[in-house]
Amino acid sequence: TVTLGGTSTFDKASTPSVSASGGGAVVGKVTGAGTGALSFPVTTASSGTPATYTLSGLAVDVPASAPAGPVTATVAYGTGTATVQLFSVITSQRIFGQTSVDTSAALFENNGCPSAGGINIGPLSIGGTRNAVLATSDSFPDALSASYLASQLNTSVLVTPTAAVAQTTLTALRLEGVENVFVVGGPLAISAADIATLKATPSYHCGGLTERSSLIGGAQNLQVTQIYGQTQYGTAEQVAEYAGAGAVGKVNVPGAYGGMYNDTTGSNGTTAATAVSGGRTAILAVGTNYPDAMAASAMAYNEKLPVLLTGTSSLAPEAEAAIVNLGIQQVIVMGGPLAISDNVVTQLMGLGVSTFRIAGNDDTDTAQLLAQFELNTTNASGVTDGLGWTDTNGLVVTRGDYFTDALSASAYAGQSETPIVLTENPTTVGTYLTGFLNTAGTVGYGGHMVYSFTALGGSLAIAPATMTAIADALAIANPTFGSLPV
């Protein structure tokens, strides 16, 4: 007898059959289609040589209410039983809008706006004050470094075009009851006219129906703070230093040293024997491209790690200044030597900073190696080699060939300890991500298996067929019970 776990049933329209080979065994007809258990008689047992029994033509109906996770079956044979995982129920969702700015607003509004006892509370508030971080949607560096500031302010990153503050953005600020807007980027990113628009915009209570009143009466407008440098490197420095050295997160991962997460020819950085892990930690990414920092934005948010930007050949002076000013003791370098050269790694170590790379053969590989790092816990020797995230939402999936949909993903992913992974493009999952998904859905990382994912953007960003391919990669096909004693 083969019995399904949970509320699943064997499809009544299927025609299951069984065959026996070896030892002269003979089996009868399979019965039970339409129920949760199939059975068949062994009319003649095998003699001398063990028999193999093969069930085929099976189809399982899973109710729409079934939670994400494995579907198992238990086989009863003679006096024993064995259980095997048949496949997994994979759930997915999209968060998207008609434009990248609309997707950003949808992610921002995903925070919700609860209230209790007349006092606004919720994930966007600190001490009752609700904040937002705003960056341009026209380029990527400011929003990537802004993920750290958003974490410090317990809020999310919104984006808007440089030309004018989008109405969608203003609506999100109103609905979420935002009082303070922290603008990341200078006037070439968020113009003086944009700042004037924000300062002239009334602040609303949560829900967006009632304007706030100032202490002297009249409308209370949005309070605006602009943080920026002369370049993307300077802006990243200013953002990193805004909350002060005491706000920087600490990550203790001694097992990550020695090249565990580096598949490239680039330097592994500090040796495992000499590394000092557990101190104030920063993320370093190249400032002229987006995928590495984009994938790392969830880690920056969750662990409160500033995102510093550098050129490829040498360490940006602004990044070095932030490392010194903040007393950074450990740097996670995102990307291989084509993104951040070995010379930069040498410069970091010369500052007395323990350094290790997370780097793959392409952007999707780097992102999945980072996801492994985020989910892993300890190695075989019991040494901590990852962050031990619990992947509440499974995975966040975004296209790796463009940046707009993921600019505002750091809070959504970071708050729930959910890694951000990248497809090659809207229609291609890619070899490296597929391999990660296969393991994540079967063996798992750090004791956590993945059964759900959230795609950012509409069907032009992640195609429907790509959604299906991701789900299939997480599921299990053609299970076997193996050799069972009778």
Side-chain angles (χ1 to χ4, degrees):
T1 301
V2 180
T3 305
L4 290 171
T7 57
S8 298
T9 58
F10 290 102
D11 184 70
K12 64 181 179 181
S14 63
T15 55
S17 61
V18 64
S19 61
S21 61
V26 179
V27 293
K29 182 180 179 181
V30 178
T31 59
T35 73
L38 295 178
S39 62
F40 61 88
V42 177
T43 56
T44 301
S46 60
S47 176
T49 303
T52 298
Y53 303 97
T54 302
L55 276 167
S56 57
L58 305 181
V60 177
D61 295 329
V62 180
S65 59
V71 174
T72 61
T74 300
V75 60
Y77 53 95
T79 59
T81 60
T83 301
V84 69
Q85 182 176 337
L86 296 179
F87 57 88
S88 300
V89 175
I90 307 299
T91 59
S92 64
Q93 64 172 337
R94 287 186 190 269
I95 298 178
F96 69 101
Q98 294 302 309
T99 68
S100 60
V101 174
D102 295 339
T103 297
S104 170
L107 282 162
F108 191 81
E109 292 167 16
N110 187 77
N111 288 284
C113 197
S115 63
I119 301 174
N120 295 321
I121 60 173
L124 296 182
S125 64
I126 294 180
T129 301
R130 293 173 71 81
N131 308 303
V133 174
L134 184 66
T136 180
S137 60
D138 296 343
S139 60
F140 53 85
D142 294 340
L144 297 176
S145 61
S147 57
Y148 171 67
L149 178 64
S151 177
Q152 295 294 345
L153 297 171
N154 203 24
T155 186
S156 184
V157 178
L158 268 172
V159 298
T160 188
T162 299
V165 181
Q167 185 57 52
T168 302
T169 303
L170 293 173
T171 299
L173 293 171
R174 176 175 59 82
L175 293 176
E176 291 299 312
V178 170
E179 298 169 72
N180 298 320
V181 178
F182 291 80
V183 174
V184 173
L188 295 180
I190 302 293
S191 68
D194 295 341
I195 299 298
T197 297
L198 292 167
K199 289 183 175 180
T201 299
S203 170
Y204 283 76
H205 289 285
C206 281
L209 299 177
T210 307
E211 289 186 11
R212 285 191 174 88
S213 298
S214 68
L215 294 176
I216 60 174
Q220 176 183 319
N221 290 347
L222 294 171
Q223 302 298 301
V224 181
T225 302
Q226 193 167 17
I227 305 170
Y228 66 98
Q230 295 303 306
T231 65
Q232 67 264 48
Y233 310 107
T235 295
E237 178 194 358
Q238 294 301 314
V239 169
E241 295 179 5
Y242 185 80
V248 177
K250 300 177 180 179
V251 173
N252 188 21
V253 285
Y257 286 84
M260 179 175 180
Y261 300 102
N262 181 14
D263 285 348
T264 74
T265 59
S267 167
N268 292 326
T270 310
T271 65
T274 60
V276 179
S277 190
R280 293 174 186 160
T281 303
I283 298 166
L284 185 68
V286 68
T288 54
N289 207 355
Y290 54 86
D292 296 338
M294 186 166 72
S297 64
M299 177 171 65
Y301 192 99
N302 182 272
E303 305 292 337
K304 289 183 166 48
L305 310 181
V307 178
L308 302 176
L309 302 178
T310 185
T312 296
S313 59
S314 62
L315 182 64
E318 297 88 344
E320 180 176 346
I323 289 169
V324 173
N325 294 339
L326 294 173
I328 298 298
Q329 299 158 293
Q330 179 174 245
V331 170
I332 301 172
V333 173
M334 292 299 305
L338 295 180
I340 296 180
S341 68
D342 285 351
N343 181 56
V344 173
V345 173
T346 299
Q347 288 180 273
L348 289 169
M349 293 189 292
L351 294 173
V353 175
S354 293
T355 305
F356 67 92
R357 278 191 196 270
I358 297 178
N361 294 301
D362 67 10
D363 301 329
T364 67
D365 193 17
T366 296
Q368 70 87 18
L369 286 166
L370 172 61
Q372 290 187 40
F373 173 68
E374 290 163 340
L375 296 175
N376 279 339
T377 52
T378 58
N379 59 25
S381 300
V383 179
T384 302
D385 60 2
L387 302 178
W389 284 9
T390 55
D391 57 286
T392 305
N393 288 335
L395 296 170
V396 169
V397 181
T398 188
R399 60 188 295 185
D401 63 334
Y402 206 54
F403 59 84
T404 50
D405 290 322
L407 289 181
S408 300
S410 58
Y412 176 81
Q415 285 174 349
S416 57
E417 296 192 338
T418 306
I420 297 174
V421 293
L422 312 179
T423 65
E424 284 191 8
N425 54 56
T427 59
T428 307
V429 177
T431 301
Y432 298 111
L433 177 54
T434 297
F436 170 83
L437 295 170
N438 291 158
T439 300
T442 54
V443 180
Y445 295 97
H448 301 291
M449 290 193 286
V450 176
Y451 302 120
S452 61
F453 66 95
T454 299
L456 301 183
S459 58
L460 295 180
I462 303 291
T466 306
M467 296 277 285
T468 299
I470 292 168
D472 289 345
L474 286 170
I476 297 175
N478 300 320
T480 176
F481 286 96
S483 176
L484 305 177
V486 177

